[in-house]
Amino acid sequence: MKAVLQHIAVCEARFASHPFFSDLKMDRPIEQVMAFAPRLTFWVMTFQDVLRLNAHFIQDAHLKALATRHHAEESGHDQWFEEDIAALTGGSLSIGTMYGKAHVKTRDAAYAIISEVYRQVDDRLRIVLLWALESTSHVFFGRTATISAVQGADDRLKYFSDHHMKAEAQHAMFEEELAAELESMELAPAIRADALAMVERIYGAFDLMFDGLRIHLERERAEEPVAARQVPLPPPVTLEAEDDAEDLDVDLTDEDETPSPRVLDVSVHRAA
């Protein structure tokens, strides 16, 4: 299992260098910095079912208890997200918007991740799945918590702020227990190969998702006036604006709706 954990660490570092994170700017109001946030909605809601179903399918009693506990500790975070979206946009996201073109990459990524839950896999790989998901969250929330603090928005936000990071820290002992469990596991070569392939697919899905979020940041940068003109920054894109664009058949993505080949065709580099 050590080779699998090392591979997750490599994937986490690679994910942390995704252009999305370097594209984030903090020299503007929090509503503009976090204008990408509504596009995470489908994944945030799907995530709760990923945890629930993953625990449900585990047969080993001890591992099932670990996964069930993890699900319980993540419960309610989706409500923080809804509250943050309301605080940032002044409203809630409509179902029609969530299933529109602007959110297609998030949906594709979420479907790819939830498909992992329905694979017939060794119970130990379901714990690896949890660890890989936690790995991506450490990168993302570490960044958004910094943005929230710099913007002085910690009193307004929960999901994207240090409030979330503190909640994660509260179950640090559980994460240490989970890490110890994983490190003690011995995997046969075939199962180890399956675990490495699954980790690659999960990170490929997150790359796809964040490619979609980056489109929003690139559009804002393209529309931003040059500093010499001293023209005020455009207002944040509202949920209604995205709806209007869709009604006019404006493609808010830079590609068609075909899932990225990174999710469908993954090459695995086995650790020694």
Side-chain angles (χ1 to χ4, degrees):
M1 181 65 81
K2 184 176 292 186
V4 176
L5 297 180
Q6 290 173 344
H7 191 58
I8 291 176
V10 170
C11 289
E12 179 178 332
R14 185 181 68 200
F15 179 59
S17 66
H18 191 286
F20 168 83
F21 296 108
S22 59
D23 284 348
L24 288 176
K25 296 181 179 180
M26 291 185 279
D27 58 348
R28 60 188 66 187
I30 187 69
E31 290 82 4
Q32 290 182 346
V33 180
M34 302 294 292
F36 66 87
R39 296 191 183 191
L40 282 170
T41 304
F42 194 87
W43 164 242
V44 173
M45 300 306 167
T46 301
F47 177 63
Q48 293 296 324
D49 278 339
V50 168
L51 299 184
R52 176 180 62 83
L53 290 168
N54 189 57
H56 171 75
F57 288 126
I58 294 177
Q59 299 299 312
D60 180 88
H62 176 61
L63 297 181
K64 190 181 190 74
L66 287 176
T68 301
R69 178 179 169 187
H70 182 266
H71 179 211
E73 294 192 354
E74 294 288 341
S75 180
H77 293 192
D78 52 324
Q79 295 175 7
W80 296 349
F81 176 81
E82 292 183 65
E83 292 171 6
D84 281 11
I85 295 301
L88 291 168
T89 68
S92 59
L93 188 72
S94 71
I95 294 177
T97 298
M98 188 166 59
Y99 281 90
K101 290 182 180 179
H103 297 248
V104 69
K105 290 186 182 293
T106 301
R107 296 199 309 275
D108 288 349
Y111 293 138
I113 294 170
I114 202 168
S115 73
E116 298 296 332
V117 176
Y118 284 95
R119 292 177 184 270
Q120 295 292 330
V121 297
D122 187 285
D123 281 350
R124 292 169 294 181
L125 268 61
R126 296 191 180 279
I127 304 302
V128 172
L129 171 65
L130 297 181
W131 196 252
L133 293 177
E134 283 294 311
S135 173
T136 62
S137 71
H138 290 163
V139 174
F140 178 71
F141 292 117
R143 180 62 170 165
T144 62
T146 299
I147 293 172
S148 178
V150 170
Q151 293 284 344
D154 283 352
D155 59 337
R156 296 175 54 199
L157 304 178
K158 289 184 178 179
Y159 188 83
F160 294 108
S161 73
D162 192 52
H163 178 86
H164 198 152
M165 295 296 290
K166 288 179 179 178
E168 294 293 322
Q170 287 178 357
H171 61 253
M173 185 176 296
F174 170 67
E175 287 197 359
E176 292 175 5
E177 179 183 345
L178 194 62
E181 289 280 348
L182 287 169
E183 289 177 357
S184 68
M185 295 176 184
E186 294 289 337
L187 299 180
I191 297 177
R192 182 170 64 248
D194 287 344
L196 293 171
M198 180 186 68
V199 170
E200 281 289 340
R201 289 192 299 269
I202 290 172
Y203 273 92
F206 276 103
D207 280 343
L208 172 66
M209 188 187 306
F210 280 75
D211 286 347
L213 297 181
R214 192 183 180 213
I215 291 170
H216 193 102
L217 296 176
E218 288 176 335
R219 183 179 303 107
E220 281 206 335
R221 185 168 59 250
E223 294 175 353
E224 182 179 330
V226 294
R229 296 176 186 171
Q230 296 183 345
V231 179
L233 289 171
V237 177
T238 64
L239 303 181
E240 291 76 11
E242 291 191 358
D243 284 336
D244 292 343
E246 243 179 84
D247 291 340
L248 294 173
D249 198 26
V250 175
D251 190 353
L252 296 178
T253 67
D254 61 347
E255 303 175 316
D256 61 22
E257 298 187 15
T258 304
S260 166
R262 282 174 298 180
V263 178
L264 301 177
D265 183 17
V266 178
S267 59
V268 181
H269 304 284
R270 299 187 183 182

